[in-house]
Amino acid sequence: MTTEQEKKKTIGLEEIVSFSKRRGFVFPSSEIYGGFGAVYDYGPYGVELANNIKRFWWREMVQKNANIVGLDSAIFMHPKVWEASGHTESFSDPLAECKQCHSRVRVDHLLEEAGVFADEKMSEEEINKLLQKNKEKLRCPKCGASDFSKAKNFNLLVQSNLGNFTGNWQQNPVYLRGETCQGIYINFKNVLDSTRQKIPFGIAQIGKAFRNEITARQFIFRKREFEQMEMQMFTHPREATKIYQTWKEKRWQYYLDLGIKKENIRWHQHENLVFYAQDAWDIEYRFPFGFKELEGVHYRTDYDLSQHSKVSGAKLQYRDPKTNEVFTPHVIETSVGVDRTFLALLTEAYQSEELANGGTRAVLKLPAFLAPIKIAIFPLLKNKPELVKKARQIFDSLKNDWMCEFDDNGNIGKRYRRQDEIGTPYCVTVDFDSLNDNSVTVRERDTMEQVRVKTEELKNWFQTKNLSL
Ligand code: ATP
């Protein structure tokens, strides 16, 4: 194990949570009202990082693939969508109550902790049999007791009363979408008819999804309102397996390009496949609480389009223009959360580093293209108008091209530390020499090396540094 890995091991979830709040990345929702379980807000630097993650995904998936197009479907959909997809019937987690401390726990998680794997689609009865059989091995995560009530399935869809003016919306609810891909399936025909795409082609979408998650823990790993980046590739059944392999490789490479070390990701194959899936693998990341799912890469056969055809009556098929063969395409899905990517990147990049002078610094070693702020600009002293004026001019000359920050608070050392901790790749300082030689000091985050650059050359200098996507 390298020293860097040893150092990283010591950075736990608590440290990430406190850093995220202290430095304006992630805030607990509605904090002044005591918080709101498993809901979080992105702060000024968090929203920049999240936007950069989404931009990168969009570039890799849509911009770089001529046969993938984008979509932004609504969060609300006809309730029949969720009936057709099977969500109203079986999108649920089994829940049991600890008889000792009365906390509610997910039975699949309890079993998993005990080394027993439960199929996602198991009935209540089957889950209860497993629970009974493994009774001795189970431990309440809160109090350690092993006595649980019977498990009950708890549906994860979040209900709303949209458009229901009669007041009995609980009987006929609409739902906030539980996953973004249903919006893709129901627009398959619209996209096909309005573009010149031919199979195999994909539809990509980034957007919010909502789930009534039972256990509100592990920070932004499991939120009730979260954001997904999903791509559904529609293929001929004959080609599906080959295309599935290609996308598995592409999605693995994507994480390496995102700056994640390969020892921190691994493949996990689903042992118990949902009945319609042909093959399903997850990419797991080594979060502070262990390897957990970051992305799903799944071969879903023709299940989704067939179901929507059946329930809606619409023909969701494809006619091959050359052979005239008509068929229901098979779907290869890649599905990842913005929030889990965000947490993986903080886990990967946040480190505490020992300095040559004996001190330590916290530094967020994000790749420059992901950094919330690309360049920070400082006047050496805030009460010297000539320095402030020149620093402001530099800020103005760079702000059109990069996200910059002007900072004149505290001494230069402190300003460097602040920028290091939020991952800013470069700091520019205007000092007294700058007034005479028209040069500034540029300091690099990782090496902490400083170079003098002529003010008029600054923009070209930064242009060579790949700061943006
Ligand atoms: P898990 O088993 O961890 O609950 P899942 O298998 O239900 O996840 P999918 O339905 O496959 O997740 O969703 C695809 C992706 O969406 C996941 O890989 C994850 O990155 C993200 N995701 C799912 N649920 C949440 C959540 N509650 N909070 C944040 N991200 C989520």
Side-chain angles (χ1 to χ4, degrees):
M1 199 181 264
T2 65
T3 350
E4 201 176 337
Q5 274 174 287
E6 273 161 9
K7 241 184 266 159
K8 280 188 49 51
K9 255 178 63 182
T10 60
I11 288 159
L13 189 62
E14 262 173 46
E15 199 172 342
I16 289 175
V17 173
S18 100
F19 153 76
S20 296
K21 177 153 183 243
R22 190 164 36 83
R23 287 289 181 232
F25 280 76
V26 184
F27 304 132
S29 165
S30 319
E31 211 182 2
I32 60 168
Y33 290 100
F36 197 53
V39 185
Y40 292 89
D41 300 336
Y42 285 114
Y45 298 125
V47 67
E48 295 297 334
L49 174 55
N51 283 342
N52 291 340
I53 292 169
K54 289 187 261 185
R55 211 170 283 141
F56 182 70
W57 186 87
W58 198 263
R59 188 184 77 174
E60 295 304 302
M61 302 302 280
V62 181
Q63 197 177 326
K64 285 192 180 175
N65 292 288
N67 69 338
I68 299 183
V69 292
L71 179 78
D72 187 7
S73 69
I75 285 171
F76 286 116
M77 284 176 256
H78 196 291
K80 288 258 182 210
V81 168
W82 304 106
E83 197 184 304
S85 66
H87 281 72
T88 41
E89 173 80 20
S90 59
F91 187 48
S92 53
D93 283 335
L95 183 71
E97 194 175 305
C98 168
K99 287 189 179 165
Q100 190 93 17
C101 71
H102 302 289
S103 56
R104 294 182 169 178
V105 280
R106 266 180 68 170
V107 174
D108 53 336
H109 287 169
L110 271 185
L111 289 165
E112 199 180 310
E113 289 296 317
V116 183
F117 286 91
D119 185 336
E120 277 180 26
K121 294 280 176 239
M122 269 185 173
S123 67
E124 233 170 69
E125 204 182 315
E126 288 165 321
I127 275 281
N128 273 312
K129 267 192 206 150
L130 262 189
L131 195 64
Q132 195 57 30
K133 198 170 138 204
N134 296 283
K135 217 169 134 190
E136 304 304 317
K137 293 193 213 157
L138 309 178
R139 292 280 171 277
C140 170
K142 204 156 174 208
C143 72
S146 319
D147 198 8
F148 292 95
S149 71
K150 267 188 140 181
K152 256 182 94 88
N153 275 338
F154 181 82
N155 194 285
L156 299 180
L157 283 178
V158 177
Q159 298 185 356
S160 162
N161 66 347
L162 183 84
N164 188 323
F165 304 106
T166 59
N168 67 342
W169 61 272
Q170 279 98 338
Q171 272 90 54
N172 296 299
V174 293
Y175 301 99
L176 298 179
R177 65 181 173 202
E179 57 184 24
T180 55
C181 58
Q182 296 303 326
I184 294 180
Y185 304 136
I186 61 172
N187 277 295
F188 165 73
K189 198 96 181 54
N190 284 335
V191 173
L192 189 62
D193 294 347
S194 60
T195 65
R196 306 175 63 83
Q197 292 297 336
K198 294 198 177 54
I199 264 174
F201 77 93
I203 305 178
Q205 157 152 260
I206 300 179
K208 288 280 175 93
F210 302 81
R211 295 182 189 177
N212 240 329
E213 298 281 1
I214 297 157
T215 38
R217 57 191 167 109
Q218 295 168 332
F219 194 37
I220 56 172
F221 177 84
R222 193 172 298 286
K223 294 165 79 181
R224 294 195 172 119
E225 174 182 339
F226 59 100
E227 200 158 16
Q228 290 185 313
M229 305 186 279
E230 298 200 293
M231 190 281 293
Q232 312 289 317
M233 170 85 27
F234 300 94
T235 73
H236 191 286
R238 214 175 28 237
E239 285 187 320
T241 307
K242 194 179 87 218
I243 291 173
Y244 181 53
Q245 285 313 323
T246 312
W247 276 98
K248 274 184 68 191
E249 283 158 29
K250 283 193 185 198
R251 295 307 299 160
W252 180 265
Q253 184 58 41
Y254 167 92
Y255 288 103
L256 305 182
D257 295 344
L258 205 51
I260 286 180
K261 285 184 217 70
K262 69 172 184 303
E263 61 267 27
N264 290 333
I265 45 175
R266 71 178 188 196
W267 283 107
H268 167 78
Q269 186 174 24
H270 287 211
E271 286 159 37
N272 297 301
L273 287 176
V274 287
F275 67 93
Y276 53 82
Q278 188 94 357
D279 202 0
W281 291 77
D282 294 335
I283 295 176
E284 295 184 332
Y285 178 74
R286 193 202 301 264
F287 288 101
F289 34 83
F291 273 104
K292 295 272 183 236
E293 174 178 341
L294 175 59
E295 160 154 355
V297 185
H298 305 149
Y299 174 11
R300 302 175 60 101
T301 68
D302 63 355
Y303 175 77
D304 309 282
L305 291 182
S306 300
Q307 278 298 107
H308 285 301
S309 285
K310 205 157 82 192
V311 177
S312 69
K315 257 199 167 164
L316 302 181
Q317 288 187 313
Y318 181 80
R319 178 187 292 275
D320 188 305
K322 281 201 194 114
T323 62
N324 269 335
E325 184 194 0
V326 176
F327 59 90
T328 305
H330 279 206
V331 166
I332 305 299
E333 160 185 84
T334 75
S335 173
V336 54
V338 173
D339 315 275
R340 285 190 192 178
T341 308
F342 190 108
L343 183 57
L345 287 168
L346 289 191
T347 310
E348 190 80 12
Y350 191 74
Q351 35 204 285
S352 155
E353 211 172 66
E354 272 161 36
L355 299 174
N357 66 9
T360 57
R361 68 163 183 162
V363 53
L364 192 64
K365 290 197 169 168
L366 287 171
F369 67 87
L370 289 173
I373 303 293
K374 312 297 180 189
I375 308 160
I377 298 120
F378 314 146
L380 183 66
L381 297 170
K382 74 189 235 182
N383 53 3
K384 293 284 171 212
E386 322 86 275
L387 298 182
V388 174
K389 188 169 164 218
K390 200 164 179 59
R392 285 264 176 226
Q393 280 167 351
I394 291 172
F395 177 85
D396 287 340
S397 72
L398 300 175
K399 71 182 182 191
N400 279 343
D401 296 83
W402 299 284
M403 196 72 203
C404 298
E405 191 168 275
F406 181 89
D407 187 4
D408 59 6
N409 270 303
N411 67 42
I412 287 289
K414 276 207 183 118
R415 289 183 238 168
Y416 281 153
R417 298 289 165 269
R418 237 186 341 253
Q419 296 299 333
D420 284 346
E421 202 179 8
I422 63 164
T424 307
Y426 293 100
C427 295
V428 171
T429 304
V430 175
D431 55 23
F432 289 104
D433 286 344
S434 309
L435 300 176
N436 300 321
D437 67 2
N438 216 16
S439 297
V440 288
T441 301
V442 181
R443 184 252 198 194
E444 206 262 334
R445 179 193 70 197
D446 296 347
T447 58
M448 295 189 279
E449 266 166 22
Q450 305 191 357
V451 289
R452 291 293 282 184
V453 180
K454 286 265 176 224
T455 316
E456 66 267 22
E457 283 162 16
L458 208 49
K459 197 162 161 176
N460 285 342
W461 194 88
F462 282 125
Q463 233 123 32
T464 63
K465 303 294 177 195
N466 291 327
L467 294 179
S468 298
L469 288 166

